Amino acid sequence: QVQFVESGGGLVQAGGSLRLSCAASGIIFSSATMGWYRQAPGKQRELVANINSGRITTYADSAKGRFTISRDNAKNSVYLEMNSLKPEDTAIYYCNANAKQVLFGRFTDYWGQGTQVTVSS
């Protein structure tokens, strides 16, 4: 029912850039808060950035000035532009939605399967 298609991960050298994409289906996208989280081995999952339905954004301190989150409601998609990447950015990045399903009136958290980002030194 609720599905995410994540793409854009890969291997880059320090200082490089990547653009992550997440296309959602099965939710009312226009009213959803969308976000990107990441998890490195042995660590807890942490918020990288999110953007609500009014396009107000929140960033982790480590991401400010380097990462930009955006959304395209016409495409039901959220993006994360990552610049000046560092080895400590290496993690699996997960797309998240706090959203209502179509014809279901409760806000619930949904998670994508994740995409690997590896930054070499």
Side-chain angles (χ1 to χ4, degrees):
Q1 180 70 289
V2 177
Q3 299 280 352
F4 298 112
V5 178
E6 298 172 306
S7 62
L11 173 64
V12 296
Q13 291 187 322
S17 298
L18 285 173
R19 179 180 167 89
L20 305 183
S21 298
C22 174
S25 61
I27 63 171
I28 305 175
F29 188 87
S30 60
S31 62
T33 294
M34 304 297 301
W36 289 96
Y37 291 71
R38 68 187 181 190
Q39 187 168 25
K43 296 184 178 180
Q44 292 185 327
R45 188 174 299 185
E46 64 176 355
L47 173 71
V48 179
N50 66 21
I51 180 168
N52 71 7
S53 61
R55 289 182 164 81
I56 298 173
T57 58
T58 300
Y59 294 94
D61 287 342
S62 61
K64 290 179 180 177
R66 299 189 298 128
F67 295 1
T68 302
I69 189 169
S70 61
R71 65 192 294 159
D72 186 340
N73 288 354
K75 297 180 179 179
N76 284 5
S77 295
V78 63
Y79 310 95
L80 186 68
E81 181 72 34
M82 303 186 293
N83 299 313
S84 302
L85 283 162
K86 304 174 181 179
E88 50 261 47
D89 295 318
T90 296
I92 301 174
Y93 284 70
Y94 296 91
C95 183
N96 167 266
N98 185 257
K100 295 180 180 179
Q101 293 188 54
V102 176
L103 301 179
F104 188 77
R106 183 185 302 174
F107 279 93
T108 304
D109 274 315
Y110 301 96
W111 295 91
Q113 294 300 306
T115 184
Q116 178 71 47
V117 171
T118 302
V119 184
S120 62
S121 60

